[in-house]
Coordinates of all heavy atoms in Angstrom, one line a residue:
M1 N -1.6 0.3 12.3 CA -1.2 1.6 13.1 C -2.4 2.2 13.5 O -3.4 2.1 12.9 CB -0.2 2.3 12.4 CG 1.1 1.7 12.2 SD 2.4 2.8 11.5 CE 3.3 1.7 10.5
A2 N -2.1 3.1 14.5 CA -3.2 3.8 15.1 C -3.6 5.1 14.3 O -2.8 5.5 13.5 CB -2.9 4.2 16.5
E3 N -4.8 5.6 14.6 CA -5.3 6.8 14.0 C -4.4 8.0 14.6 O -3.9 7.9 15.6 CB -6.7 6.9 14.5 CG -7.5 8.0 13.7 CD -8.9 7.8 14.2 OE1 -9.7 7.1 13.5 OE2 -9.3 8.5 15.1
C4 N -4.1 8.9 13.7 CA -3.4 10.2 14.1 C -4.1 10.8 15.4 O -5.3 11.1 15.3 CB -3.3 11.1 13.0 SG -2.4 12.6 13.4
E5 N -3.3 11.2 16.4 CA -3.8 11.9 17.6 C -4.3 13.3 17.3 O -4.8 14.0 18.1 CB -2.8 11.8 18.7 CG -1.6 12.6 18.5 CD -0.4 11.8 18.0 OE1 -0.6 10.8 17.2 OE2 0.6 12.3 18.3
L6 N -3.9 13.8 16.2 CA -4.2 15.2 15.7 C -5.6 15.3 15.0 O -5.9 16.4 14.5 CB -3.1 15.9 15.1 CG -1.7 15.8 15.8 CD1 -0.7 16.6 14.8 CD2 -1.8 16.4 17.1
I7 N -6.1 14.2 14.7 CA -7.4 14.1 13.9 C -8.4 15.1 14.1 O -9.1 15.7 13.3 CB -7.6 12.7 13.5 CG1 -8.2 12.3 12.2 CG2 -8.7 12.3 14.7 CD1 -8.3 10.8 12.0
D8 N -8.7 15.2 15.4 CA -9.8 16.0 15.8 C -9.6 17.5 15.4 O -10.7 18.2 15.2 CB -10.2 15.8 17.3 CG -10.6 14.6 17.7 OD1 -11.2 13.9 16.7 OD2 -10.5 14.2 18.8
K9 N -8.4 18.0 15.4 CA -8.2 19.4 15.3 C -7.5 19.8 14.0 O -7.2 20.9 13.7 CB -7.3 19.9 16.3 CG -8.0 19.9 17.7 CD -7.2 20.4 18.9 CE -8.0 20.4 20.2 NZ -7.1 20.7 21.5
C10 N -7.2 18.8 13.1 CA -6.4 19.0 12.0 C -7.3 19.5 10.9 O -8.3 18.9 10.4 CB -5.8 17.6 11.5 SG -4.8 17.9 10.0
P11 N -6.8 20.8 10.3 CA -7.7 21.2 9.3 C -7.8 20.5 8.1 O -8.7 20.4 7.4 CB -6.9 22.6 8.9 CG -6.2 22.9 10.3 CD -5.7 21.5 10.7
F12 N -6.7 19.9 7.6 CA -6.7 19.0 6.5 C -7.8 17.9 6.6 O -8.7 17.7 5.7 CB -5.4 18.3 6.2 CG -5.5 17.3 5.0 CD1 -5.5 17.7 3.7 CD2 -5.7 15.9 5.3 CE1 -5.6 16.8 2.6 CE2 -5.9 15.0 4.2 CZ -5.7 15.5 3.0
F13 N -7.8 17.2 7.7 CA -8.8 16.1 7.9 C -10.2 16.7 8.0 O -11.2 16.0 7.4 CB -8.5 15.3 9.2 CG -9.3 14.1 9.3 CD1 -8.8 12.9 8.6 CD2 -10.5 14.0 10.1 CE1 -9.5 11.8 8.7 CE2 -11.1 12.9 10.1 CZ -10.8 11.8 9.3
N14 N -10.4 17.7 8.7 CA -11.9 18.2 9.1 C -12.3 19.2 7.9 O -13.5 19.1 7.8 CB -11.8 18.9 10.3 CG -11.5 18.0 11.5 OD1 -12.3 17.1 11.7 ND2 -10.2 18.0 11.9
K15 N -11.6 19.8 7.2 CA -12.1 20.8 6.2 C -12.7 20.0 5.0 O -13.6 20.6 4.2 CB -11.2 21.7 5.7 CG -10.2 21.2 4.7 CD -9.2 22.4 4.3 CE -8.2 21.8 3.3 NZ -7.2 22.8 2.9
H16 N -12.3 18.8 4.8 CA -12.9 18.1 3.6 C -14.0 17.2 4.0 O -14.6 16.3 3.1 CB -11.8 17.2 2.9 CG -10.8 18.0 2.4 ND1 -10.9 18.9 1.3 CD2 -9.4 18.2 2.7 CE1 -9.9 19.5 0.9 NE2 -8.9 19.1 1.7
L17 N -14.5 17.2 5.2 CA -15.4 16.1 5.6 C -16.8 16.2 4.8 O -17.3 15.0 4.5 CB -15.8 16.3 7.1 CG -14.8 15.8 8.0 CD1 -15.1 16.0 9.5 CD2 -14.4 14.4 7.8
E18 N -17.2 17.3 4.4 CA -18.5 17.3 3.7 C -18.5 16.8 2.1 O -19.3 16.2 1.8 CB -19.0 18.9 3.6 CG -19.4 19.4 4.8 CD -20.5 18.7 5.5 OE1 -21.5 18.5 4.7 OE2 -20.5 18.5 6.8
N19 N -17.2 17.1 1.5 CA -17.1 16.8 0.1 C -15.8 16.1 -0.1 O -15.2 16.4 -1.1 CB -17.2 18.1 -0.7 CG -18.4 18.9 -0.5 OD1 -19.5 18.3 -0.7 ND2 -18.3 20.2 -0.1
D20 N -15.7 15.0 0.5 CA -14.4 14.2 0.2 C -14.5 13.6 -1.2 O -15.4 13.2 -1.6 CB -14.4 13.0 1.2 CG -13.6 13.4 2.4 OD1 -13.1 14.5 2.6 OD2 -13.5 12.3 3.1
D21 N -13.5 14.1 -2.0 CA -13.2 13.4 -3.3 C -12.4 12.2 -3.0 O -11.9 11.9 -1.9 CB -12.8 14.3 -4.3 CG -11.3 14.7 -4.1 OD1 -10.5 14.1 -3.3 OD2 -10.9 15.9 -4.6
E22 N -12.3 11.4 -4.2 CA -11.6 10.1 -3.8 C -10.1 10.2 -3.5 O -9.6 9.5 -2.5 CB -11.6 9.4 -5.1 CG -11.3 7.9 -5.0 CD -11.6 7.2 -6.4 OE1 -12.4 7.6 -7.2 OE2 -10.9 6.3 -6.6
T23 N -9.5 11.3 -3.9 CA -8.1 11.6 -3.6 C -7.9 11.8 -2.0 O -7.1 11.3 -1.4 CB -7.4 12.6 -4.4 OG1 -7.5 12.3 -5.7 CG2 -5.9 12.8 -4.1
V24 N -8.7 12.8 -1.7 CA -8.7 13.2 -0.3 C -9.0 12.0 0.6 O -8.4 11.7 1.6 CB -9.6 14.4 0.0 CG1 -9.7 14.7 1.5 CG2 -9.1 15.6 -0.7
A25 N -10.0 11.3 0.2 CA -10.4 10.0 1.1 C -9.2 9.1 1.2 O -9.0 8.5 2.2 CB -11.6 9.4 0.5
L26 N -8.5 8.9 0.2 CA -7.3 8.0 0.1 C -6.2 8.5 1.0 O -5.7 7.7 1.8 CB -6.8 7.8 -1.4 CG -7.6 6.9 -2.3 CD1 -7.1 6.9 -3.6 CD2 -7.6 5.4 -1.7
L27 N -6.0 9.8 0.9 CA -5.0 10.4 1.8 C -5.2 10.2 3.2 O -4.5 10.0 4.2 CB -4.8 11.9 1.4 CG -4.1 12.2 0.1 CD1 -4.1 13.7 -0.1 CD2 -2.7 11.6 0.1
K28 N -6.5 10.5 3.6 CA -7.0 10.2 5.0 C -6.8 8.8 5.5 O -6.3 8.5 6.6 CB -8.5 10.7 5.0 CG -8.8 12.1 5.2 CD -10.2 12.5 5.2 CE -10.5 13.9 5.2 NZ -12.0 14.1 5.4
E29 N -7.1 7.9 4.5 CA -6.9 6.5 4.9 C -5.5 6.2 5.0 O -5.0 5.6 6.1 CB -7.5 5.7 3.9 CG -7.6 4.2 4.1 CD -8.5 4.0 5.4 OE1 -9.5 4.6 5.5 OE2 -8.2 3.1 6.2
K30 N -4.6 6.6 4.1 CA -3.2 6.3 4.1 C -2.5 7.0 5.3 O -1.5 6.4 5.9 CB -2.6 6.6 2.8 CG -1.1 6.5 2.6 CD -0.5 6.9 1.3 CE 0.9 6.6 1.2 NZ 1.5 7.0 -0.1
Y31 N -2.7 8.3 5.6 CA -2.0 9.1 6.6 C -2.7 9.1 7.8 O -2.2 8.6 8.9 CB -1.6 10.4 6.1 CG -0.7 10.5 5.0 CD1 -1.2 10.5 3.6 CD2 0.7 10.5 5.1 CE1 -0.4 10.5 2.5 CE2 1.5 10.5 4.0 CZ 1.0 10.6 2.7 OH 1.8 10.6 1.7
C32 N -3.9 9.6 7.8 CA -4.6 10.1 9.2 C -5.0 8.7 9.9 O -5.1 8.8 11.1 CB -5.9 10.9 8.8 SG -5.4 12.3 7.8
K33 N -5.4 7.7 9.2 CA -5.9 6.6 9.8 C -5.1 5.5 9.8 O -5.3 4.5 10.4 CB -7.3 6.1 9.1 CG -8.3 7.2 9.3 CD -9.6 6.7 8.7 CE -10.7 7.8 8.9 NZ -12.0 7.5 8.3
T34 N -3.8 5.6 9.3 CA -2.9 4.6 9.2 C -1.6 4.9 9.7 O -1.0 4.1 10.6 CB -2.8 3.8 7.8 OG1 -4.2 3.6 7.4 CG2 -1.9 2.7 7.6
N35 N -0.9 5.8 9.1 CA 0.5 6.1 9.4 C 0.8 7.6 9.4 O 1.3 8.2 8.4 CB 1.4 5.4 8.3 CG 2.8 5.4 8.8 OD1 3.2 6.0 9.8 ND2 3.7 4.9 8.0
N36 N 0.5 8.3 10.4 CA 0.8 9.7 10.5 C 2.3 10.0 10.5 O 2.7 11.3 10.1 CB 0.0 10.4 11.7 CG 0.6 9.8 12.9 OD1 1.5 9.0 13.0 ND2 0.1 10.2 14.1
L37 N 3.2 9.1 10.6 CA 4.7 9.4 10.7 C 5.1 9.8 9.3 O 6.1 10.5 9.3 CB 5.5 8.3 11.2 CG 5.1 7.9 12.7 CD1 5.9 6.6 13.1 CD2 5.3 9.0 13.7
N38 N 4.3 9.6 8.3 CA 4.7 9.9 7.0 C 4.1 11.2 6.5 O 4.3 11.7 5.5 CB 4.3 8.7 6.0 CG 5.4 7.7 5.8 OD1 6.6 7.9 6.1 ND2 4.9 6.5 5.6
C39 N 3.3 11.9 7.4 CA 2.5 13.0 7.0 C 3.3 14.3 7.1 O 3.9 14.6 8.3 CB 1.2 13.1 7.8 SG 0.3 14.6 7.7
A40 N 3.3 15.1 6.1 CA 4.1 16.3 6.3 C 3.5 17.3 7.4 O 4.4 17.9 8.1 CB 4.1 17.1 4.9
R41 N 2.2 17.3 7.5 CA 1.6 18.2 8.6 C 2.0 17.7 9.9 O 2.3 18.5 10.8 CB 0.1 18.1 8.3 CG -0.4 18.7 7.0 CD -1.9 18.9 7.0 NE -2.5 19.7 8.1 CZ -2.6 21.1 7.8 NH1 -2.4 21.5 6.6 NH2 -3.0 21.9 8.7
Y42 N 2.0 16.5 10.1 CA 2.4 15.9 11.4 C 3.8 16.1 11.7 O 4.1 16.5 12.8 CB 2.2 14.3 11.4 CG 2.3 13.6 12.8 CD1 1.1 13.8 13.6 CD2 3.4 13.0 13.0 CE1 1.3 13.1 14.9 CE2 3.5 12.4 14.4 CZ 2.5 12.5 15.3 OH 2.6 12.0 16.4
M43 N 4.7 16.0 10.7 CA 6.2 16.2 11.0 C 6.3 17.5 11.6 O 7.1 17.9 12.4 CB 6.9 16.0 9.7 CG 6.9 14.6 9.2 SD 7.4 14.4 7.5 CE 8.8 15.3 7.3
I44 N 5.7 18.6 10.9 CA 5.9 19.9 11.5 C 5.1 20.1 12.7 O 5.7 20.8 13.6 CB 5.1 21.1 10.4 CG1 5.9 20.8 9.0 CG2 5.3 22.4 10.9 CD1 5.3 21.7 7.9
S45 N 4.1 19.5 13.1 CA 3.4 19.7 14.3 C 4.2 19.2 15.4 O 4.5 19.8 16.5 CB 2.1 18.8 14.2 OG 1.2 19.5 13.4
I46 N 4.9 18.1 15.2 CA 5.7 17.5 16.2 C 7.0 18.4 16.4 O 7.5 18.5 17.5 CB 6.1 16.0 15.8 CG1 4.8 15.2 15.9 CG2 7.2 15.5 16.8 CD1 4.0 15.1 17.2
A47 N 7.6 18.9 15.4 CA 8.9 19.6 15.4 C 8.7 21.1 15.9 O 9.5 21.4 16.6 CB 9.5 19.5 14.1
L48 N 7.6 21.6 15.4 CA 7.4 23.1 15.8 C 6.2 23.5 16.4 O 6.0 24.7 16.8 CB 7.7 23.8 14.4 CG 9.0 23.6 13.5 CD1 8.8 24.4 12.2 CD2 10.1 24.0 14.3
G49 N 5.3 22.6 16.5 CA 3.9 23.0 16.9 C 2.9 23.2 15.8 O 3.3 23.5 14.7
S50 N 1.6 22.9 16.1 CA 0.7 22.9 15.1 C 0.6 24.3 14.5 O 0.1 24.5 13.3 CB -0.8 22.5 15.6 OG -1.0 23.2 16.7
E51 N 0.8 25.3 15.1 CA 0.7 26.7 14.7 C 1.6 26.9 13.5 O 1.4 28.0 12.8 CB 0.8 27.7 15.8 CG 2.1 27.8 16.4 CD 2.3 26.6 17.5 OE1 1.3 25.9 17.9 OE2 3.4 26.6 18.0
A52 N 2.8 26.3 13.4 CA 3.6 26.5 12.3 C 3.3 25.6 11.0 O 3.9 25.8 9.9 CB 5.0 25.8 12.7
V53 N 2.2 24.8 11.0 CA 1.8 24.2 9.9 C 0.9 25.0 8.9 O 0.0 25.7 9.3 CB 0.9 22.9 10.1 CG1 0.5 22.2 9.0 CG2 1.6 22.1 11.3
P54 N 1.4 25.2 7.7 CA 0.6 26.1 6.8 C -0.8 25.5 6.6 O -1.0 24.2 6.5 CB 1.3 26.0 5.3 CG 2.8 25.6 5.8 CD 2.8 24.7 7.1
E55 N -1.8 26.4 6.4 CA -3.2 25.9 6.4 C -3.4 24.8 5.3 O -4.1 23.9 5.4 CB -4.1 27.2 6.3 CG -5.6 26.8 6.2 CD -6.2 26.5 7.6 OE1 -5.5 26.7 8.6 OE2 -7.3 26.0 7.7
D56 N -2.9 25.2 4.1 CA -3.1 24.5 3.0 C -2.1 23.3 2.6 O -2.2 22.7 1.6 CB -3.1 25.4 1.7 CG -1.8 26.1 1.6 OD1 -1.0 26.0 2.5 OD2 -1.7 26.6 0.3
L57 N -1.2 23.1 3.6 CA -0.2 22.1 3.5 C -0.9 20.7 3.3 O -1.7 20.2 4.1 CB 0.8 21.9 4.5 CG 2.0 21.1 4.3 CD1 3.0 21.6 3.3 CD2 2.9 20.8 5.5
N58 N -0.5 19.9 2.2 CA -1.0 18.6 1.9 C 0.0 17.5 2.7 O 1.1 17.8 2.8 CB -0.9 18.3 0.4 CG -1.6 17.0 0.0 OD1 -1.3 15.8 0.3 ND2 -2.7 17.3 -0.8
P59 N -0.6 16.4 3.2 CA 0.1 15.4 3.8 C 1.3 14.8 3.1 O 2.3 14.4 3.5 CB -0.9 14.3 4.2 CG -2.3 14.9 4.2 CD -2.2 16.0 3.2
T60 N 1.2 15.0 1.7 CA 2.2 14.4 0.8 C 3.4 15.3 0.7 O 4.4 14.9 0.2 CB 1.7 14.2 -0.5 OG1 1.2 15.4 -1.2 CG2 0.5 13.1 -0.4
E61 N 3.4 16.6 1.2 CA 4.3 17.6 0.8 C 5.5 17.5 1.9 O 5.8 18.5 2.6 CB 3.8 19.0 0.8 CG 2.8 19.2 -0.3 CD 2.2 20.5 -0.4 OE1 1.3 20.8 0.4 OE2 2.6 21.3 -1.3
K62 N 6.2 16.4 1.8 CA 7.3 16.3 2.9 C 8.5 17.1 2.6 O 9.2 17.5 3.6 CB 7.7 14.8 3.0 CG 6.6 13.9 3.7 CD 7.1 12.5 4.0 CE 7.1 11.7 3.0 NZ 5.7 10.9 2.7
I63 N 8.8 17.4 1.3 CA 9.9 18.2 1.0 C 9.7 19.7 1.6 O 10.6 20.2 2.1 CB 10.3 18.2 -0.4 CG1 10.9 16.9 -0.8 CG2 11.3 19.4 -0.7 CD1 11.1 16.7 -2.3
K64 N 8.5 20.1 1.5 CA 8.2 21.5 1.9 C 8.3 21.3 3.5 O 8.7 22.4 4.0 CB 6.7 21.8 1.6 CG 6.5 23.2 1.6 CD 5.1 23.4 0.7 CE 4.6 24.9 0.9 NZ 3.5 25.0 0.2
A65 N 7.8 20.3 4.0 CA 7.9 20.1 5.5 C 9.4 20.1 6.0 O 9.7 20.8 7.1 CB 7.3 18.9 5.9
Y66 N 10.2 19.5 5.3 CA 11.6 19.6 5.7 C 12.1 20.9 5.6 O 12.9 21.4 6.4 CB 12.3 18.6 4.8 CG 12.2 17.2 4.9 CD1 12.1 16.3 3.8 CD2 12.2 16.6 6.2 CE1 11.9 15.0 3.9 CE2 11.9 15.2 6.3 CZ 11.8 14.5 5.2 OH 11.5 13.0 5.2
E67 N 11.9 21.7 4.5 CA 12.2 23.0 4.4 C 11.8 24.0 5.5 O 12.5 24.8 6.0 CB 11.8 23.7 3.0 CG 12.6 23.0 1.9 CD 11.9 23.3 0.6 OE1 10.9 24.0 0.5 OE2 12.4 23.0 -0.5
I68 N 10.6 23.8 5.9 CA 10.0 24.7 7.0 C 10.7 24.3 8.3 O 11.1 25.3 9.1 CB 8.4 24.4 7.1 CG1 7.8 25.0 5.8 CG2 8.0 25.0 8.3 CD1 6.2 24.7 5.6
I69 N 10.9 23.0 8.5 CA 11.5 22.7 9.9 C 13.0 23.1 9.9 O 13.4 23.6 10.9 CB 11.5 21.1 9.9 CG1 9.9 20.7 10.3 CG2 12.2 20.6 11.1 CD1 9.7 19.2 10.1
S70 N 13.7 23.0 8.8 CA 15.1 23.2 8.7 C 15.4 24.7 8.7 O 16.4 25.2 9.1 CB 15.9 22.5 7.5 OG 15.4 23.0 6.3
S71 N 14.5 25.5 8.3 CA 14.7 26.9 8.2 C 14.2 27.6 9.5 O 14.2 28.9 9.6 CB 14.0 27.5 7.0 OG 12.6 27.4 7.2
S72 N 13.7 26.8 10.5 CA 13.2 27.6 11.7 C 14.2 27.7 12.8 O 15.3 27.1 12.7 CB 12.0 26.7 12.2 OG 12.4 25.5 12.7
Ligands
SF4_1 S1 -3.2 15.3 7.9 FE1 -1.6 14.5 9.0 S2 -1.5 15.7 11.0 FE2 -3.7 15.8 10.1 S3 -4.8 14.2 11.0 FE3 -3.9 13.4 9.0 S4 -1.9 12.5 9.6 FE4 -2.7 13.9 11.3

């Protein structure tokens, strides 16, 4: 699958570039570079716009994403 189209502006992807630990690197590979449809940040961006995504939301936090989307 293709790289996420939000990759250039996504705080999660860009804020860790200097000091990627192994976990963050794996998340980038799994979500950002392979399947953004499973990413909590991407789900909110598509549903509500990128301004609705909490700065510190992790791509794995889908339940939190559902809550944010359903309560808006
Ligand atoms: S964290 Fe999610 S929204 Fe951000 S670049 Fe990766 S897949 Fe896209």
Side-chain angles (χ1 to χ4, degrees):
M1 287 185 221
E3 197 171 271
C4 178
E5 70 267 27
L6 305 179
I7 213 164
D8 289 339
K9 294 181 180 172
C10 180
F12 173 82
F13 190 86
N14 292 290
K15 76 179 177 182
H16 294 295
L17 285 179
E18 294 293 321
N19 298 307
D20 268 2
D21 63 24
E22 198 173 325
T23 304
V24 172
L26 285 172
L27 291 177
K28 286 182 179 180
E29 191 60 40
K30 180 177 178 182
Y31 293 93
C32 312
K33 296 185 176 176
T34 306
N35 188 2
N36 60 359
L37 296 179
N38 278 326
C39 172
R41 299 187 64 91
Y42 187 80
M43 290 163 50
I44 298 172
S45 290
I46 294 305
L48 305 175
S50 57
E51 60 282 353
V53 182
E55 180 78 15
D56 61 347
L57 187 73
N58 190 295
T60 62
E61 296 182 284
K62 285 194 277 277
I63 291 174
K64 201 167 174 180
Y66 292 136
E67 288 171 358
I68 290 169
I69 293 168
S70 65
S71 66
S72 66

